[in-house]
Amino acid sequence: MPNYLAIDTSANASVALVDNATGLVVDQRVSSKGNDQTETLSAYVKELLDAHGQKGQDLAGIIVGVGPGPFTGLRVGLVAARTFGFVWQVPVHGVMSLHALAEQVLDAGEAPAQFIVASDARRKEVYWARYDQDGAMVDGPHVSAASALPAFPVYGIGAGIYAEQLEEAGAKPMPESFEWIANAGYLVRRGISDLAAGKDLSDTSPQYLRESDAQVPAFMKQAK
Amino acid sequence: MSNTEPVVLGIESSCDETGVGIVRGNRLLANAVSSSMDEHVRFGGVIPEIAARAHLEAFVPTLQSALDTAELTLDDIDAIAVTSGPGLAGALMVGVSAAKALALATGKPLYGINHLVAHVGVGVLEGTVLPPTFGALLVSGGHTEILKVTSLTNDVQLLGSTIDDAAGEAYDKTARLLGLGYPGGPAIDKAAKDGDRKAFRFPRGLSLPKFVGSAENPGKHRNNFSFSGLKTAVARCVEHFEANGGEIPVADIAASFQEAVVDVITSKAVRAMQEQGLKTLLLGGGVAANTRLRELLAARCASAGIALVVPPFSLCTDNGGMVAALGAQLVADGVSPSGLEFATDSSQPVTNIVLNSRS
Ligand SMILES: [Zn+2]
């Protein structure tokens, strides 16, 4: 039975090999650090493929997290996934990375009627999206200060980092989720179910949500 | 694989060019380059985040283009080389991640190599024969270095470099001051053609005796460059004309600025060659296209009895072919590949030609 390879680098490098038939994670690797995607990603993929006798060209496809997430790490996963797809001639499917957190909420059971997932966007902001209790996204993805989030239960590491601000704003940070970051094993669930529902996931463009921040430099302003 | 004629694919992403080149031994088979230069124009210089975004979008199409041009498939490739540094960290990571994925997916060995040494390595392409030991002068938007190359694959020494801006950066900034647009190198070169290079005497950075010393007792900055003072001097000059309500003599300032840059670069490079007993100098980097630099360097090399080697311009600017060329040298020399776990090194020293595998 063909497997999917799932990659998400919107937070830490996370790679999973998933059985297409059951949707279950066969094996996975997750880095404990948030800044070593370039060093770890391909080594993780190699470990998983080798350990399970999986040939890249026999994969059903690659499911990759398109963010939002810190740009540099995000690009590491996207360029690798596209390159794997190119060499192995297998399809690459893009899935918004916050969906991985939503899947984790559903997996934990008894999801609220409406909830928010939030990841760390640095610069005192979070990436976030709002979902219904079936996991369908109803708003997002956005990037903003935690204090600007609407008053719903909030899951994910973004809730952990900004618990106080969220409470002050009337939202409800959920402590059991304070360490949760996007994980390829959860991401792939959404990918497989979206594909089964006939959704087009062929777009692997990164969800930057922010401009490049390029400033016209001072020496150009001086020039008249 | 043939040891002397390995087919190597090289990947470059250290600045604003996404390059994929393919060589067979010393023969260049393809050199596909996608540049994000146009996107940086309004900022007057390379914006790292914009460059990194462009690398992601350009990588696979550039790879495809190089394979098409070479009329090869990935099966024909013996090894892959990628620039691991120096350069812009976020830009480097795109190329290195892509290279690792490519190496893993194809099962080919991967070399993480030094961008500056690759600028020199390009000199072995297209029938150029370099002596065992030679010097190199690299001048671009990102670097200004004098190197001594004893072996391309295991012995390269930094003789001098800029302590502030790269020469190309100084060109970009000056071009902005003069309203000449980006990139500054070609714009200033063009404007300078109608100007008097002796109209203004702009400073030659780090040329005072206290920095230079003597051959026997060299000063700390004997072979180093500084362009920040020059940039300030040009700004003052422009302000002076503006304050007096006069027309700014753009051509004369451009020519005088260019002369200051080129004079100090060529004189220091040639002196370093003489003091090191080097008889051949290779010029590399994007500023190698500058007509005045080539003219003055050729003249000074000739009078010092130094042979000057200037690769074709398309190989002087950042490109994947130069990475492939150095990679092929490493493969031919039996150097161990770098594996899949090395990190990028945005300030990789020239002494670190190829990254070691972490074991
Ligand atoms: Zn360069």
Side-chain angles (χ1 to χ4, degrees):
Chain A
M1 188 50 68
N3 289 321
Y4 276 104
L5 178 70
I7 293 171
D8 189 282
T9 56
S10 67
N12 298 13
S14 171
V15 183
L17 191 62
V18 178
D19 187 320
N20 184 18
T22 62
L24 295 177
V25 171
V26 176
D27 201 352
Q28 65 177 322
R29 298 284 183 278
V30 182
S31 173
S32 59
K33 292 190 276 184
N35 61 356
D36 63 354
Q37 295 91 351
T38 313
E39 292 96 303
T40 56
L41 182 64
S42 277
Y44 287 167
V45 172
K46 180 170 166 44
E47 276 176 40
L48 290 186
L49 298 183
D50 289 355
H52 299 278
Q54 174 74 51
K55 285 199 163 79
Q57 53 268 39
D58 296 337
L59 289 166
I62 295 165
I63 289 174
V64 64
V66 298
F71 307 154
T72 299
L74 180 61
R75 278 189 287 264
V76 166
L78 287 170
V79 80
R82 291 180 189 180
T83 304
F84 289 137
F86 175 79
V87 178
W88 291 328
Q89 294 289 296
V90 298
V92 182
H93 308 290
V95 176
M96 207 266 286
S97 296
L98 291 170
H99 290 340
L101 291 171
E103 288 293 330
Q104 195 163 357
V105 175
L106 299 185
D107 192 52
E110 306 204 9
Q114 296 254 320
F115 65 91
I116 285 172
V117 301
S119 64
D120 182 9
R122 300 176 186 169
R123 304 185 202 171
K124 301 191 173 157
E125 291 188 319
V126 292
Y127 295 116
W128 63 277
R130 184 158 55 97
Y131 294 83
D132 68 18
Q133 63 184 350
D134 299 322
M137 186 171 75
V138 291
D139 185 17
H142 300 291
V143 59
S144 66
S147 57
L149 265 56
F152 292 99
V154 185
Y155 295 83
I157 194 163
I161 298 170
Y162 299 105
E164 263 178 50
Q165 290 95 316
L166 288 168
E167 272 173 4
E168 278 168 26
K172 192 176 166 202
M174 305 300 280
E176 69 271 25
S177 70
F178 282 0
E179 311 270 297
W180 294 0
I181 56 174
N183 173 289
Y186 285 110
L187 184 89
V188 75
R189 294 187 184 199
R190 179 61 61 107
I192 289 175
S193 65
D194 279 357
L195 287 172
K199 285 194 184 158
D200 177 11
L201 303 183
S202 59
D203 186 1
T204 60
S205 305
Q207 294 270 342
Y208 289 124
L209 304 193
R210 283 176 179 147
E211 290 304 310
S212 67
D213 268 5
Q215 303 276 334
V216 175
F219 68 85
M220 290 188 60
K221 289 177 187 155
Q222 286 165 14
K224 288 165 203 115
Chain B
M1 91 181 65
S2 152
N3 239 11
T4 53
E5 295 272 284
V7 179
V8 176
L9 183 144
I11 297 167
E12 158 62 32
S13 76
S14 68
C15 192
D16 62 341
E17 329 273 0
T18 312
V20 179
I22 303 173
V23 303
R24 184 190 301 278
N26 290 345
R27 216 148 42 84
L28 185 67
L29 304 181
N31 199 19
V33 178
S34 165
S35 176
S36 60
M37 194 209 282
D38 293 347
E39 295 175 59
H40 305 286
V41 168
R42 69 196 173 103
F43 304 104
V46 173
I47 304 297
E49 175 61 22
I50 291 175
R53 290 183 180 194
H55 286 308
L56 168 61
E57 303 313 325
F59 179 70
V60 169
T62 308
L63 170 62
Q64 178 73 68
S65 163
L67 290 167
D68 289 349
T69 303
E71 296 182 3
L72 295 177
T73 69
L74 289 168
D75 290 340
D76 302 316
I77 306 292
D78 294 315
I80 297 160
V82 62
T83 297
S84 52
L88 304 168
L92 288 167
M93 283 187 213
V94 179
V96 167
S97 180
K100 288 180 174 182
L102 190 59
L104 167 57
T106 57
K108 313 290 183 185
L110 175 64
Y111 294 81
I113 68 169
N114 189 296
H115 175 85
L116 300 175
V117 182
H119 268 302
V120 182
V122 82
V124 303
L125 293 179
E126 306 304 298
T128 307
V129 179
L130 293 166
T133 304
F134 61 98
L137 172 63
L138 306 181
V139 193
S140 80
H143 20 268
T144 313
E145 281 96 11
I146 307 173
L147 307 180
K148 176 180 180 177
V149 184
T150 306
S151 157
L152 262 180
T153 56
N154 67 37
D155 190 356
V156 177
Q157 202 186 323
L158 182 70
L159 299 179
S161 67
T162 180
I163 60 165
D164 42 53
D165 290 347
E169 277 177 289
Y171 268 90
D172 289 344
K173 292 177 180 179
T174 299
R176 270 310 305 172
L177 284 168
L178 296 175
L180 293 174
Y182 174 85
I188 287 191
D189 202 11
K190 190 163 166 250
K193 284 198 168 50
D194 304 319
D196 175 4
R197 65 175 87 106
K198 293 195 177 111
F200 303 96
R201 173 77 195 180
F202 290 130
R204 274 66 170 159
L206 302 180
S207 289
L208 295 175
K210 64 175 174 176
F211 296 126
V212 173
S214 62
E216 300 73 38
N217 194 8
K220 188 168 171 236
H221 294 302
R222 187 167 183 78
N223 298 321
N224 288 342
F225 307 106
S226 166
F227 298 106
S228 63
L230 170 59
K231 184 189 71 196
T232 309
V234 173
R236 293 268 153 75
C237 180
V238 170
E239 280 162 17
H240 171 78
F241 280 97
E242 277 177 343
N244 293 335
E247 198 177 318
I248 297 167
V250 171
D252 285 349
I253 295 176
S256 301
F257 160 82
Q258 172 148 293
E259 193 64 10
V261 173
V262 167
D263 178 31
V264 74
I265 288 179
T266 54
S267 59
K268 285 200 175 204
V270 169
R271 182 177 63 205
M273 295 304 107
Q274 290 172 310
E275 290 178 4
Q276 295 287 330
L278 300 171
K279 293 287 174 204
T280 302
L281 177 64
L282 180 138
L283 176 63
V287 182
N290 185 281
T291 50
R292 182 62 185 151
L293 175 64
R294 293 171 82 129
E295 182 182 62
L296 194 58
L297 189 60
R300 286 182 171 169
C301 281
S303 55
I306 294 166
L308 177 63
V309 178
V310 188
F313 179 59
S314 62
L315 296 176
C316 285
T317 49
D318 291 349
N319 66 88
M322 68 188 205
V323 181
L326 178 57
Q329 299 280 310
L330 293 164
V331 172
D333 266 15
V335 174
S336 300
S338 308
L340 292 177
E341 295 178 48
F342 63 85
T344 58
D345 182 353
S346 55
S347 54
Q348 191 169 334
V350 293
T351 45
N352 203 358
I353 299 167
V354 56
L355 297 183
N356 292 321
S357 156
R358 290 186 188 175
S359 46

Short mmCIF file of all heavy atoms in Angstrom, two decimals, chain B residues 18 40 45 50 73 89 98 113 130 162 169 182 244 281 297-298 305 313 327-328 334 338 350 352 356:
data_model
loop_
_atom_site.label_atom_id
_atom_site.label_comp_id
_atom_site.label_asym_id
_atom_site.label_seq_id
_atom_site.Cartn_x
_atom_site.Cartn_y
_atom_site.Cartn_z
N THR B 18 19.76 32.67 -8.46
CA THR B 18 19.56 31.24 -8.28
C THR B 18 20.26 30.58 -9.47
O THR B 18 19.84 30.78 -10.61
CB THR B 18 18.07 30.87 -8.34
OG1 THR B 18 17.34 31.76 -7.49
CG2 THR B 18 17.85 29.43 -7.89
N HIS B 40 15.00 44.14 -6.60
CA HIS B 40 15.77 44.90 -5.60
C HIS B 40 16.01 46.34 -6.03
O HIS B 40 16.50 47.14 -5.24
CB HIS B 40 17.11 44.20 -5.34
CG HIS B 40 16.98 42.77 -4.95
ND1 HIS B 40 16.56 42.39 -3.69
CD2 HIS B 40 17.18 41.63 -5.63
CE1 HIS B 40 16.52 41.07 -3.63
NE2 HIS B 40 16.88 40.59 -4.79
N GLY B 45 19.64 48.03 -3.48
CA GLY B 45 20.55 46.98 -3.01
C GLY B 45 19.75 45.70 -2.78
O GLY B 45 18.52 45.73 -2.82
N ILE B 50 13.64 39.24 0.12
CA ILE B 50 13.13 39.18 -1.26
C ILE B 50 13.94 38.17 -2.06
O ILE B 50 13.39 37.38 -2.84
CB ILE B 50 13.18 40.59 -1.90
CG1 ILE B 50 12.13 41.50 -1.23
CG2 ILE B 50 12.92 40.51 -3.40
CD1 ILE B 50 12.16 42.94 -1.70
N THR B 73 19.90 13.73 -17.87
CA THR B 73 18.93 13.49 -16.81
C THR B 73 19.71 13.40 -15.50
O THR B 73 20.95 13.33 -15.51
CB THR B 73 18.17 12.16 -17.01
OG1 THR B 73 19.08 11.09 -16.81
CG2 THR B 73 17.55 12.09 -18.40
N ALA B 89 22.28 34.30 4.91
CA ALA B 89 21.89 33.05 5.56
C ALA B 89 20.58 32.48 5.00
O ALA B 89 20.51 31.30 4.63
CB ALA B 89 21.78 33.26 7.07
N ALA B 98 17.53 22.53 -0.88
CA ALA B 98 17.21 21.95 -2.18
C ALA B 98 18.27 20.93 -2.58
O ALA B 98 17.97 19.84 -3.07
CB ALA B 98 17.10 23.05 -3.23
N ILE B 113 30.21 23.68 -0.47
CA ILE B 113 31.48 24.32 -0.80
C ILE B 113 31.46 25.84 -0.64
O ILE B 113 30.43 26.46 -0.51
CB ILE B 113 31.94 23.96 -2.24
CG1 ILE B 113 30.99 24.58 -3.26
CG2 ILE B 113 32.01 22.46 -2.42
CD1 ILE B 113 31.54 24.47 -4.65
N LEU B 130 45.56 26.96 -15.35
CA LEU B 130 46.11 27.79 -14.29
C LEU B 130 47.36 27.14 -13.73
O LEU B 130 47.45 25.91 -13.67
CB LEU B 130 45.06 27.95 -13.18
CG LEU B 130 43.81 28.76 -13.57
CD1 LEU B 130 42.70 28.57 -12.54
CD2 LEU B 130 44.15 30.23 -13.71
N THR B 162 37.84 43.47 2.26
CA THR B 162 37.29 44.74 2.72
C THR B 162 36.95 44.64 4.20
O THR B 162 36.55 43.58 4.68
CB THR B 162 36.05 45.15 1.90
OG1 THR B 162 35.57 46.40 2.41
CG2 THR B 162 34.94 44.12 2.02
N GLU B 169 29.02 47.23 -3.35
CA GLU B 169 28.09 48.00 -2.50
C GLU B 169 28.39 49.48 -2.61
O GLU B 169 27.48 50.31 -2.65
CB GLU B 169 28.25 47.58 -1.04
CG GLU B 169 27.50 46.35 -0.61
CD GLU B 169 27.82 46.03 0.85
OE1 GLU B 169 28.96 45.58 1.11
OE2 GLU B 169 26.95 46.21 1.70
N TYR B 182 20.15 51.29 -10.15
CA TYR B 182 20.73 50.04 -9.63
C TYR B 182 20.68 48.98 -10.71
O TYR B 182 19.70 48.95 -11.47
CB TYR B 182 19.91 49.60 -8.41
CG TYR B 182 20.29 48.25 -7.85
CD1 TYR B 182 21.33 48.13 -6.93
CD2 TYR B 182 19.60 47.11 -8.25
CE1 TYR B 182 21.67 46.90 -6.42
CE2 TYR B 182 19.94 45.87 -7.73
CZ TYR B 182 20.98 45.77 -6.83
OH TYR B 182 21.33 44.56 -6.33
N ASN B 244 25.40 74.82 -3.17
CA ASN B 244 25.72 76.02 -3.95
C ASN B 244 24.79 76.21 -5.13
O ASN B 244 24.99 77.10 -5.95
CB ASN B 244 27.17 75.93 -4.46
CG ASN B 244 28.15 76.02 -3.30
OD1 ASN B 244 27.82 76.58 -2.26
ND2 ASN B 244 29.32 75.44 -3.46
N LEU B 281 47.29 36.17 -11.95
CA LEU B 281 46.17 36.71 -11.16
C LEU B 281 44.87 36.45 -11.90
O LEU B 281 44.72 36.80 -13.08
CB LEU B 281 46.35 38.21 -10.95
CG LEU B 281 45.20 38.92 -10.20
CD1 LEU B 281 45.07 38.41 -8.77
CD2 LEU B 281 45.42 40.43 -10.19
N LEU B 297 43.85 47.14 -14.26
CA LEU B 297 44.44 45.91 -13.74
C LEU B 297 45.34 45.27 -14.80
O LEU B 297 46.44 44.80 -14.51
CB LEU B 297 43.34 44.93 -13.30
CG LEU B 297 43.82 43.69 -12.55
CD1 LEU B 297 44.56 44.07 -11.26
CD2 LEU B 297 42.63 42.78 -12.22
N ALA B 298 44.87 45.28 -16.05
CA ALA B 298 45.67 44.70 -17.14
C ALA B 298 46.99 45.46 -17.28
O ALA B 298 48.06 44.85 -17.41
CB ALA B 298 44.89 44.75 -18.44
N GLY B 305 54.71 42.11 -14.81
CA GLY B 305 55.03 40.78 -15.32
C GLY B 305 54.10 39.69 -14.80
O GLY B 305 54.49 38.54 -14.63
N PHE B 313 32.34 36.94 -18.70
CA PHE B 313 31.56 37.65 -17.70
C PHE B 313 30.46 36.78 -17.08
O PHE B 313 30.21 36.84 -15.87
CB PHE B 313 30.94 38.91 -18.31
CG PHE B 313 30.09 39.66 -17.33
CD1 PHE B 313 30.64 40.14 -16.14
CD2 PHE B 313 28.74 39.88 -17.57
CE1 PHE B 313 29.85 40.83 -15.22
CE2 PHE B 313 27.95 40.57 -16.65
CZ PHE B 313 28.52 41.04 -15.48
N GLY B 327 33.25 21.74 -7.62
CA GLY B 327 32.81 20.41 -7.22
C GLY B 327 33.50 19.32 -8.00
O GLY B 327 33.94 18.30 -7.45
N ALA B 328 33.66 19.54 -9.30
CA ALA B 328 34.32 18.53 -10.15
C ALA B 328 35.78 18.36 -9.75
O ALA B 328 36.32 17.24 -9.79
CB ALA B 328 34.20 18.94 -11.62
N GLY B 334 39.27 13.16 -5.16
CA GLY B 334 38.89 12.13 -4.18
C GLY B 334 38.52 12.68 -2.81
O GLY B 334 38.59 11.98 -1.80
N SER B 338 30.21 15.95 1.81
CA SER B 338 29.85 16.60 3.07
C SER B 338 28.67 15.96 3.79
O SER B 338 28.35 16.34 4.91
CB SER B 338 29.51 18.08 2.81
OG SER B 338 30.54 18.70 2.10
N VAL B 350 37.61 31.33 3.62
CA VAL B 350 38.13 30.69 2.39
C VAL B 350 38.96 29.46 2.69
O VAL B 350 39.15 28.60 1.83
CB VAL B 350 38.96 31.65 1.51
CG1 VAL B 350 38.10 32.74 0.93
CG2 VAL B 350 40.14 32.22 2.27
N ASN B 352 38.10 27.18 4.51
CA ASN B 352 37.15 26.06 4.58
C ASN B 352 36.53 25.89 3.20
O ASN B 352 35.48 26.43 2.90
CB ASN B 352 36.09 26.36 5.65
CG ASN B 352 35.42 25.12 6.17
OD1 ASN B 352 35.72 24.00 5.70
ND2 ASN B 352 34.52 25.26 7.10
N ASN B 356 33.17 19.43 6.04
CA ASN B 356 33.35 18.04 6.41
C ASN B 356 32.01 17.43 6.78
O ASN B 356 31.13 18.11 7.29
CB ASN B 356 34.28 17.93 7.62
CG ASN B 356 35.68 18.33 7.27
OD1 ASN B 356 36.16 18.03 6.18
ND2 ASN B 356 36.32 19.05 8.17
#
